[in-house]
């Protein structure tokens, strides 16, 4: 005998009651008490890593001044620190390595080389991220190296940025007359000023007073053309010269100074007596002040 199954209807209230009972049983099995239902459930958020960009790779010349502009941001907070470090290559000195923008001087070298710098940022929750940049350093051409050397010498030495030199004169005009070319009207030929500067600038302890003293000696050897050789006082020149520092006198002996000043036929003819009787045997007693 077969019985026909009939459909049994279940009201929505019964279904809801069964669902609540099942949920309470699940929570009890998991160790939750009824009091737990009074507090909302909390989910801990995950801190996102900050974004960092050290900038694009670069190719630079040796000894050039480099500036890098890094950046960092944090989508769920803020950046609290930056730190640049060098991870490879010949060491360089980084100015302000704890700032996003830094500067340094490319290292020396005669062959191509690479250095790697790394920028690390830290957010307000202590998360860090890093990015690196590769700097390719290439050597100078011979022409660039020569120009760099001239610039370096111009800004090196005891007289650099203290003495204002006249421009380099045209050689033919400079030797055409006794006076030569004196663009700054200080009584000294421009070519002699430049030679004296080059000879004295890198000597230890040379001061502006020492340089001016040498210029005054040069002016005594070469007085104005109309005064010719009779206005040259060998004793005055000798006494002024002997008070110069020893390293200056070694670099520029007095006879060399004479030869330097009177280095053209025009000047030799005007100061013939001075050329043939440059001080040799004068003694320091001549320089003692009269009582």
């Amino acid at each position: 005998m077969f019985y026909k199954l009939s459909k049994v209807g279940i009201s929505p209230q019964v279904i809801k009651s069964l669902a609540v009972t099942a949920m309470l049983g699940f929570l009890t099995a998991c160790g939750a008490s009824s009091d737990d239902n009074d507090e909302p459930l909390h989910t801990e958020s995950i801190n996102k890593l900050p974004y960092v960009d050290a900038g694009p790779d670069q190719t630079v010349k040796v000894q050039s001044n480099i500036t890098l502009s890094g950046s960092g941001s944090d989508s769920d907070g803020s950046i609290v620190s930056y730190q640049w470090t060098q991870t490879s290559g010949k060491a360089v000195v980084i100015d302000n390595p704890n700032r996003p923008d830094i500067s340094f001087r490319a290292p020396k070298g005669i062959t191509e080389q690479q250095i790697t710098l790394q920028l690390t940022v830290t957010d307000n929750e202590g998360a860090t991220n890093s990015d690196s940049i590769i700097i390719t350093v290439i050597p100078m051409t011979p022409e660039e190296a020569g120009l760099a050397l001239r610039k370096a010498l111009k800004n090196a030495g005891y007289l650099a940025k203290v003495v204002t030199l006249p421009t380099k004169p045209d050689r033919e005009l400079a030797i055409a007359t006794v006076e030569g070319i004196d663009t700054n009207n200080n009584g000294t030929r421009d070519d002699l000023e430049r030679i004296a500067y080059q000879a004295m600038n890198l000597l230890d302890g040379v001061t502006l007073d020492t340089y001016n003293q040498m210029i005054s000696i040069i002016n005594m050897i070469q007085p104005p053309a109309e005064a010719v050789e009779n206005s040259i006082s060998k004793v005055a020149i000798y006494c002024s010269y002997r008070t110069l520092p020893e390293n200056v006198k070694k670099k520029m002996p007095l006879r060399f100074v004479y030869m330097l000043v009177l280095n053209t036929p025009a000047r030799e003819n005007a100061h013939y007596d001075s050329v043939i009787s440059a001080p040799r045997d004068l003694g320091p007693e001549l320089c003692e002040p009269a009582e």
Side-chain angles (χ1 to χ4, degrees):
M1 178 180 294
F2 297 93
Y3 296 95
K4 184 176 180 181
L5 297 175
S6 61
K7 296 181 179 179
V8 179
I10 302 175
S11 68
Q13 289 80 3
V14 174
I15 294 174
K16 181 177 180 180
S17 177
L18 290 173
V20 171
T21 301
M23 179 60 72
L24 289 174
F26 175 76
L27 292 174
T28 301
C30 293
S33 66
S34 59
D35 293 339
D36 293 335
N37 295 328
D38 297 334
E39 297 181 2
L41 296 177
H42 296 282
T43 58
E44 185 177 349
S45 62
I46 300 176
N47 182 34
K48 296 180 181 179
L49 288 179
Y51 169 79
V52 58
D53 183 10
D57 294 343
Q58 295 187 25
T59 298
V60 301
K61 292 291 181 69
V62 295
Q63 292 287 274
S64 57
N65 293 316
I66 312 302
T67 298
L68 300 181
S69 297
S71 62
S73 61
D74 190 27
S75 60
D76 58 352
S78 60
I79 301 298
V80 296
S81 71
Y82 296 84
Q83 185 64 52
W84 285 92
T85 55
Q86 182 176 356
T87 57
S88 69
K90 186 178 292 187
V92 299
V93 178
I94 302 174
D95 293 333
N96 299 316
N98 58 347
R99 298 172 62 91
D101 298 336
I102 60 170
S103 60
F104 61 94
R105 192 172 181 84
K108 298 178 182 179
I110 59 175
T111 59
E112 183 176 307
Q113 56 183 307
Q114 287 186 335
I115 61 175
T116 303
L117 301 179
Q118 178 178 276
L119 173 61
T120 299
V121 299
T122 303
D123 70 11
N124 59 309
E125 294 190 32
T128 63
N129 201 3
S130 301
D131 186 37
S132 294
I133 180 174
I134 298 175
I135 308 293
T136 301
V137 184
I138 59 176
M140 295 181 182
T141 64
E143 293 76 16
E144 290 171 331
L147 178 60
L149 178 60
R150 289 193 293 273
K151 287 183 177 180
L153 290 176
K154 185 177 181 180
N155 294 318
Y158 293 89
L159 301 176
K161 300 181 181 180
V162 176
V163 174
T164 302
L165 285 176
T167 57
K168 186 176 181 180
D170 177 85
R171 184 178 182 279
E172 293 301 320
L173 295 176
I175 66 175
T177 64
V178 173
E179 298 91 338
I181 298 175
D182 180 16
T183 56
N184 54 5
N185 298 314
N186 66 347
T188 308
R189 290 163 26 211
D190 293 351
D191 54 346
L192 292 183
E193 280 192 72
R194 296 176 65 87
I195 292 173
Y197 176 91
Q198 292 168 2
M200 301 176 66
N201 182 40
L202 299 178
L203 295 180
D204 291 339
V206 169
T207 65
L208 181 61
D209 288 340
T210 305
Y211 172 77
N212 288 334
Q213 187 178 353
M214 178 62 75
I215 293 300
S216 70
I217 293 172
I218 289 174
N219 288 346
M220 285 191 285
I221 295 175
Q222 187 209 311
E226 60 273 13
V228 293
E229 72 277 1
N230 291 330
S231 65
I232 295 178
S233 168
K234 294 193 291 283
V235 173
I237 294 170
Y238 170 77
C239 292
S240 178
Y241 178 83
R242 67 184 293 268
T243 61
L244 289 170
E246 290 300 321
N247 59 334
V248 174
K249 290 190 285 186
K250 183 176 180 181
K251 181 71 175 180
M252 299 185 71
L254 186 53
R255 290 193 62 80
F256 171 76
V257 177
Y258 267 78
M259 180 184 69
L260 187 68
V261 174
L262 308 171
N263 62 350
T264 70
R267 298 182 190 106
E268 288 179 0
N269 291 335
H271 307 295
Y272 183 74
D273 282 348
S274 296
V275 176
I276 62 174
S277 60
R280 294 185 183 182
D281 53 1
L282 297 178
E285 64 277 1
L286 295 175
C287 304
E288 298 297 331
E291 295 182 359

